[in-house]
Structures are given as structure tokens and as C-alpha cells.
Amino acid sequence: MTHRAAHLSQVELQERLEQLERANATLRQEAALSQHLFDSTVIGLALLDEEGRIARANRTFQALTGCGEGVFSPGDTTWTSLLPQLYHSHDRAMVEALAQQGAAPAYEVELCATSSTPARWVQVESSLLPEGPYARLVYLYDITERKRREQHVEALKQRLAPLFSTELVGIIRWDATGAILEANGAFLTITGYSQDDLRHGLNLLDITPPAHQDLCRQKMAEVWQKGQITPFEKEYIRKDGNRVSVLIGASSLDTQTQEALAFVLDITDRLRKEQAARENETKFRVLFDSDMLCSFFWEKSGRVVEANNAFLRTLGFDQEDLQRGRISWSAMTPPEYEALDQNALRQLDATGVCQPFEKEYIRKDGSRVPVLIGAAMLPDQSEKGLAFMLDISDRVRQERQARENDSKFRALYESDIIGIVFWNMEGTIVDANSAFLSMLGYTHEELVGHYNRRQITPPSYHPADEKAAQLIRTQGFFSPYEKQHYRKDGSCVHVLVGGTRLSGYQDRWVSYLININSQRTAQEELRLSEERFNLVAKATNDVIWDWNLSNDLVWWNDGIQTRFGYRPDDLEPDSSSWLNRIHPDDRSLIATSIHQIIDSRESTWYDEYRFRRADGSYAYVYDRGYVLRSPDGEAIRMVSAMLDVTELKLAQDELSTRAAELERVNRELRLSEEAKEEVLLSIQADNLRKTKELEEARNIQKAMLPQQPPQLDDLEIGFFMKTSAEVGGDYYDYRQYGDHTLFAIGDATGHGMRAGIVVATVKSYFQTLAGRLDPVLLLQSVSSGIRNLRIRGMYMGLSLMEWSKGKLMVASSGMPPILVYRAETQSVEVITLRGLFLGSDLPNQYQKANLQLLPGDVVLAISDGLIELFNPDGDILGQKQVNEEFRKVGHLSADEIIAHLKVVARAWLQGRENDDDMTMIVLKAK
């Protein structure tokens, strides 16, 4: 038993020894770890004994205190010996607090520099240790950088103290959150806040409007990134809710504490003044640019520095003249006005302004313009000023006209040409001229002052007279109307009367009377004559047409429908309704013959030709016309009667054919075989010559055409021409100058070499004058050139289209309408510009149109060869179908549009050859 117990005691002892060994190992490990932590921590640690001597210190402590190896000897150095004398009391207070309370507040101390360590700031903390070899543990925290920053900030604050005290500009110190740490009185005044508001917490973002929040955050971040920001403008919300505009600049005080300093400048007044200045500048610029008044800046030297369009337009100058310094107010002043200018300059020198005065300027073209002008010197300028000028041409003209009118009225009053009567508002005659007295058969003494309007007017005209009197009272005049007056002998005279209130008088008015007895008689005779004419026009089998040569309008009687099948709305209103329906082979000869009569002094014209019916067939007509002339011999009207002689002509042709056939048979019987051979050779030679001429004409025509269209960035272009068998006179061309491109398309009357000569002449004029003359003037020049050729019966229709920057100006005469496809509405506009063929001796007013083309819009210009295509049944293709076919394909490219119209033409011809040239130009805006 005892042996067993002893054995167990040994086992237990062994286990206990192992446990102790493990515990010792753990302690050693923990001791090693503690030692490692003690030595490696960034906190300075020192163990003190009961006497305050340093028993042990880590490397950080030694580095902070400057007690490294060779200096520090454990057990020999006291903690207080490392402290400056000033801080010994701090340490004693800490020891007492630890003894009494078990804890003590930290204190900060600046350790003196050693030979190996610079002076450093540390924060000292301490704690008591339980029983053992060490009585106290001291902790040192390196706060050198923090203290340096604090010292820097404090020094900066000292330097900024005078700036904070100034009231010239707002100064704030703020941190990374936007909290305002300090602000001077100027800032508080700008924002309306107080120091109490500041102490309760005020943040930059809180007083920033929402619209400026993002900008504010961006600028705050920029301060920390770059150290400063460029001044920028924003708004603050004042304490009273109003807003104030400010200019802010900022720079960082300390990137680690993220404190910054900002200056704040109230720019509300500046912005208000700038806004007012902008508004004044805008108002002035609106006035300057409005062209309501001529305005210009000038120099005393005479130079005009700047001027608005009204000034330039009034004096005939342009911007280039202004930019090149070609405009001088002194040079434009006539010598007789120089004294007025010198007086104005003296006023400007004395007062800065001169009173408006009247003078004249000499325009660029040498003419003069009267003006009213006033001027002022520019602020802080002694040699420059601003002038406002008013063109008083109308007023001067009106004054001159008033003087002339007064003189004319006096002459008219005394001339007895028309009756003139002065009335008062009661209708009593207060004066009358001799013409009125003679009209009514009274003397001045018998009529004036004794009769009123009602006494000398038949009762049926009293209502009209009362209405006229009412108009005199309300609007000051009445329009002329017809009435009658009693003559002294009891008869009546027809008069045309008009009236107006006398200027400067409220109770006087004057009436002007014209004796129209003879006109009324002539009107009645004219009415009866027109009735007879209309009866004859309806009763006759002839087709009567009446041509007004002054405006080119043509009237047709009902025979045009009964004989040729045309309804009134099928016919153009001008002479093209007649000329374009004449057979192409006859057209030039007939046009020539009728214009020879019109241009001469003769009055009678007659001729035979073929006229196209509505169904496309041609009738032979015999046309007889009479030219009405003015007293000076100018042709003003032509009335003509067209007789359908188709049946007679066919009968004559049949007889002629039979006679020719009989003659041919007789001739063949008489001819020998040798003679027949000679005739055949002659016919072949003649055919060969004609074929050669035809080929030469084709070659001339093709040589005058451009080989390919120009390439423009903003315009797609397509050209096409198909000549007829006889070679017509169609022509197209283009010419580029600057940023303009001028296109031409034309059609000469007739065929062959003569047409080629006309086309060559037109091309020469076009290539020479394009870009030098306005398209309308170019048409006039081409017309004159064709007339000078003196080729009988040859004329030319021509359309010109000038393209530049989305705008197309079209001038045309004698050509089909210009078609415009609008991409937005997918519709076709028809631009009709009427006019006579170029080369005509008749006066003609050429027309033009200005078009704005948007991307996708297309212009189609054609000759009449496409419109006047006939199918085998004799039906004409016509303008309406061309319009519709163009509308269908307006969205396609220029070449695709031309290709489609070619297909339409071939389908309509059904294998026939075109009788006239077909030409097209397609322009599509990009």
C-alpha cells in the first residue's frame, strides 16, 4: 500500500513538473513577446523605480530623449533629469495625482536638443505599477509635427490678425467640412450673420444656393489638392434670405488639419453696374443696328470709323468701303456746308455735344442727300465722337413739293382746265374759278356767296353729296364720284368730283370738278361698239383673238373651243397661248412676219400656218390681223381673226399632188434613161449634202455643251439632252464665279445651222458676262445680241439660275415653268416667269424669282421638247403630267430623276422619234 502510494506521488510529481515546465515556457514566450513589444512600439516607454530612476527604456524613448547607447545607463539616470527645469513641477503634480487618484492628466513638454537629437515635443502620460521591481511606467508620444503645425497656424493667425480686422474685404477661415472657424466683420456684413451665429455653427455649404453647391464642393476639393484656387464668382444666401454675389479666392493654411483661408468680395454693385452697362450697350447696339436711324462713329480728322447699314445705304457705300477707310465725313461735305461743320466742332469742344443742324452729304455716286445731323464726343475722348443722322430727303422733297404744288395749284386754279370750288361746312360756295363758273354758266358775283351745294345739285345726287360731306368731316377727303350740276339755263352737266379739307382750316374744303359730258358720250358709244363686237365674235365662224401688246395678255372668243377644242383654262393668259401652238416649222416665220408689221407703221397683217388643236393634230389656218396704234404710232393692240382652211388646204394639196404626179409621169415619159440617171445622182448628192449639214449641226450643238456638271458640296447636279432628228436649238451651260454658280438652259426657235448660230451667240454672251451682270441684265444683253445677228425669224427662250449658299435666283423669258420639289411637303411648286423670246424688238420686262432651297429640295428646268412630246395617237404629254412624274421621284437623286423622265418620254413616244430637242437640268440641295 505504501509502495503504491509512493509510486502515485512520483507520477503526480512528474506531471506537476511537466506542467511547471510548460508554464515556464509560456511565461518565457510571453516575456519575450512583451520585451519585443516594449522595444518595437512607436511609443516611448520607460520603467522607473521608487526613486524615479530609469530602470529600463525602449529604443523609442531613448531616441525621443536623446539618451542612446553610451549616454543612457540604467539605474543611474532619473526621469526628471531629462526634463527641462520648467516641467519638473508638471511631473510632481502627475506623481501626486497618481498616488491620490490612480490616474493623472497628460502634459506636453519640449525636450532639449542633444548633440544627436533635435529638440522634440512629446506628450507625457504615466501609470503606477503593482508591487515589483518597477514603481511607475512613463509613456512618451512624439507630437513634434503637430506642435509645429500649431505654431505655424498661430504665427499665421498673428500675421493675418490685421487682415481679419480690416473691413475692406471679407475674410474667413474654414475647414475641410466647410465649417467657418473664424470670420471678420466685413464677411458678416456681406452675409448678414453675427459672431453668435458663427459660434453656433455656420457652414459654407449651408449658405450656398443649390445651383452653386457642386461648384462650391469642387473648389473646396481643389484647395486641398492644389493649395489654392483662382478667384471665382458665386452667390451666398444672406441671413434675411436675399442673395449676394461674391468673388471668392482661397488658399490652404494646413493640408493635414485641412484649414484654409478665403477672401470674399461683395461684387453685387459691380455686377449690377455691369448688367446696366450691358443693357445700355444692348439698347445702343439695337438702336445702332436697327437701321431706324443712321449712326456712325467719327474722328475729327474726317475718318468714319464705324457705321450702321442705314448710314452706308443712305450714302451709297458698303462695308468694304468702310473697312478700307474710304469714307470721310469731311470729304463728303460740300464746300458751302464747311462753316456749319466748324461751328459744330466748336460746340463739341466746348460742351461735348452739338445741336442738330441741317446740311448735305455727297453720296458715293456723286448725288447729294439732305440730312439732319447731331453729334456728341465719346467719354474720355477728345478726337472721337458718335453722330446720329436722319435722311430728310422726303421732308425736303415734301417742302419743295409743297411749294411746287402751291405754284401748280395756283396755275391750275387760274388755267381754267378743271373747275375748282371752295365751300364752307354748310355747303355754301365761298369761291370758285372761271372753269367752274363757265361749266355752270354763272358769273362770280351771281354764284359765290349766294348758292349752296344742294341748290345746284339734282335731288337724286343729294345722298352722295351728304356722304361726301361726312367723309370730309371724319377723314378729311372723299374719293371722286360722278354726279350732275344744274346749269344756269336749267340743263345738267355731268362732272367727276373729288374733294379734300383745306390744310389749316376746319370749316373749309375744296372740290375739283371735271366736265365729263364728252366722256359719258364716248363711254356710251364704246359700250354699243363692244356689244356689236361681242355679237360679231359669237356669230362668226372665225377664231378671234385680241392681243394687248402693252402687257402681253391675249383674249380668245368662244371659237377657240368650238373650232380647236381648247377650254378657257387650257390656255395661257399671254401670247404664248398663240405662238406655242403654231407648228414648230412655221413658228419662227410667223413670229417674224407679225413682228415686222408691229414694228413698222403698217396696220394690216395676214399669213397662213399650221395651228395645233387640243387633240394634238394641226389645222391649217388663214389669219388676218389689224394693229391698233397710239397717236404717236406705237403699236398697243392687235385684233386678229383666224379662219380654219384645213379642208380647203387638203383639197388644194390633193390637186397639187395629182398635178405633180401627172407632171412626173409626163416627165418620166420624156426623160431618157441617161437623164433619169443624172436626176438620181443629183438627188443623192443633195441628200448627202443635207446629211452632212445635219451632222455638222449636231456636232456644233454638242461641242457647245459642258461635258459634265460641276461638283459642288451643297448641290447635286444632273444634265441631259436628247436632240431631235432635225437638230433643234436646245442649249445648257454653267459658269462658276466666287461662291456662285450660274446655270443656263435655253431653246432657240427653228432648226439646223441657223439655230446653231443663235445658240453659239448665246453661249458667247453667257460665258463672257456671267458673274459680271445680274441675270436679268444678262437676259437683256443676250436679247440685244440676238437682235444684232439680224437672222430673220430666229429667237431664243432662256432661263438663268444662280446658286449660292442655299439660295437660288431664277430669271427666265420664253421658257416653260421652273418646277420646285419641296422635300418637307413632297409637293411641287410651279414657278412661272412670263416674257417674250429673246431677240424680239418688242419691249419686255424680264421677271425673276428668289428661292430658298432646304436639303432635299429639287429644281427641275426643262425645254418644251419634253412637254410637247406626241404619242402615235397624237396626244401631247403636257405640263401637268410632267409635274406629276417629277413629284413621284423628287426624293431620288438628280441622275435617278433624269433617268425616270427619260423612261416616261420613251414610253410616251412608243417608238417614235422626238420632234424637238429634249433638255433637262436637275439641281438637288444637299
Side-chain angles (χ1 to χ4, degrees), residues 3 77 190 204 399 427 472 603 624 664 686 688 802 873:
H3 177 77
T77 306
I190 291 171
L204 291 175
E399 292 175 351
I472 285 290
S603 298
R624 300 91 64 208
R664 184 185 64 77
D686 189 53
L688 183 62
E802 186 180 56
D873 297 329

Side-chain angles (χ1 to χ4, degrees), residues 332-446:
M332 292 188 298
T333 300
E336 61 268 28
Y337 292 100
E338 290 179 358
L340 288 176
D341 283 353
Q342 292 302 317
N343 182 55
L345 288 173
R346 285 192 292 272
Q347 291 183 39
L348 289 166
D349 288 337
T351 65
V353 296
C354 72
Q355 294 298 317
F357 64 97
E358 294 184 12
K359 61 174 288 188
E360 287 184 340
Y361 274 136
I362 301 172
R363 290 191 179 98
K364 185 177 180 179
D365 61 7
S367 61
R368 293 191 177 194
V369 55
V371 298
L372 177 68
I373 188 168
M377 300 300 295
L378 294 178
D380 302 323
Q381 296 282 344
S382 61
E383 298 295 322
K384 296 181 180 179
L386 170 66
F388 293 96
M389 184 185 81
L390 183 65
D391 182 352
I392 58 173
S393 300
D394 290 340
R395 196 200 75 190
V396 172
R397 191 180 302 110
Q398 289 169 1
E399 292 175 351
R400 186 185 304 114
Q401 189 67 41
R403 291 192 295 271
E404 293 177 357
N405 288 345
D406 184 66
S407 176
K408 291 176 182 177
F409 176 78
R410 181 53 54 188
L412 182 64
Y413 184 84
E414 296 172 354
S415 68
D416 294 342
I417 297 174
I418 62 173
I420 300 176
V421 188
F422 294 93
W423 316 77
N424 62 22
M425 285 301 174
E426 288 73 35
T428 301
I429 299 173
V430 296
D431 198 4
N433 70 344
S434 299
F436 182 75
L437 297 172
S438 175
M439 203 179 294
L440 271 62
Y442 288 95
T443 65
H444 192 274
E445 291 75 14
E446 292 173 334

Side-chain angles (χ1 to χ4, degrees), residues 33-51:
L33 179 59
S34 298
Q35 182 65 36
H36 174 73
L37 292 175
F38 184 85
D39 291 335
S40 62
T41 181
V42 295
I43 302 172
L45 298 176
L47 294 169
L48 308 183
D49 60 16
E50 290 291 346
E51 302 300 326

Side-chain angles (χ1 to χ4, degrees), residues 116 171 184 203 297 321 349 379 390 396 512 574 591 789 792 854:
S116 60
I171 304 293
N184 71 345
N203 193 290
F297 292 92
D321 295 320
D349 288 337
L390 183 65
V396 172
Y512 306 90
D574 54 22
L789 290 175
R792 184 174 179 269
L854 300 177

Side-chain angles (χ1 to χ4, degrees), residues 512-658:
Y512 306 90
L513 301 94
I514 300 176
N515 187 335
I516 59 171
N517 268 347
S518 58
Q519 287 92 327
R520 289 295 295 268
T521 302
Q523 287 175 357
E524 183 63 20
E525 292 177 353
L526 177 61
R527 184 184 64 79
L528 294 174
S529 175
E530 288 179 346
E531 286 183 357
R532 289 193 292 270
F533 175 78
N534 289 332
L535 288 173
V536 170
K538 291 179 180 179
T540 185
N541 288 328
D542 291 356
V543 177
I544 297 176
W545 54 288
D546 186 352
W547 186 9
N548 188 329
L549 297 174
S550 62
N551 57 19
D552 196 36
L553 296 179
V554 173
W555 171 87
W556 296 85
N557 76 335
D558 294 341
I560 192 68
Q561 183 170 1
T562 58
R563 301 299 297 178
F564 299 137
Y566 290 107
R567 295 172 299 179
D569 57 358
D570 293 336
L571 298 169
E572 299 83 357
D574 54 22
S575 59
S576 63
S577 61
W578 169 70
L579 188 62
N580 288 348
R581 286 171 173 79
I582 297 175
H583 193 283
D585 291 346
D586 302 336
R587 190 178 299 157
S588 61
L589 295 175
I590 297 303
T592 299
S593 69
I594 199 169
H595 283 297
Q596 285 178 341
I597 297 299
I598 291 172
D599 296 341
S600 68
R601 290 286 177 172
E602 299 180 29
S603 298
T604 304
W605 169 81
Y606 58 88
D607 214 328
E608 290 186 14
Y609 55 88
R610 286 165 288 180
F611 189 81
R612 189 176 72 244
R613 300 185 180 96
D615 62 5
S617 62
Y618 283 90
Y620 287 93
V621 298
Y622 178 70
D623 208 348
R624 300 91 64 208
Y626 183 78
V627 179
L628 300 176
R629 299 184 181 276
S630 64
D632 60 359
E634 181 184 0
I636 58 176
R637 185 176 172 189
M638 180 173 182
V639 180
S640 190
M642 190 187 298
L643 180 63
D644 187 348
V645 295
T646 303
E647 295 182 1
L648 177 61
K649 185 66 174 176
L650 292 176
Q652 289 175 344
D653 289 346
E654 180 66 21
L655 290 175
S656 297
T657 300
R658 292 183 179 181

Side-chain angles (χ1 to χ4, degrees), residues 3 28 36 39 53 88 124-125 185 228 268 292 345 349 455 484 513 611 635 644 678 701 763 798 838 884 920:
H3 177 77
R28 287 193 300 274
H36 174 73
D39 291 335
R53 291 189 295 270
H88 287 185
V124 181
E125 296 180 6
Q228 62 181 13
T268 305
M292 294 187 295
L345 288 173
D349 288 337
Q455 291 174 299
Q484 289 182 328
L513 301 94
F611 189 81
D644 187 348
E678 290 179 359
Q701 186 178 24
K763 181 178 180 66
L798 186 63
L838 304 184
E884 177 60 21
M920 311 176 207

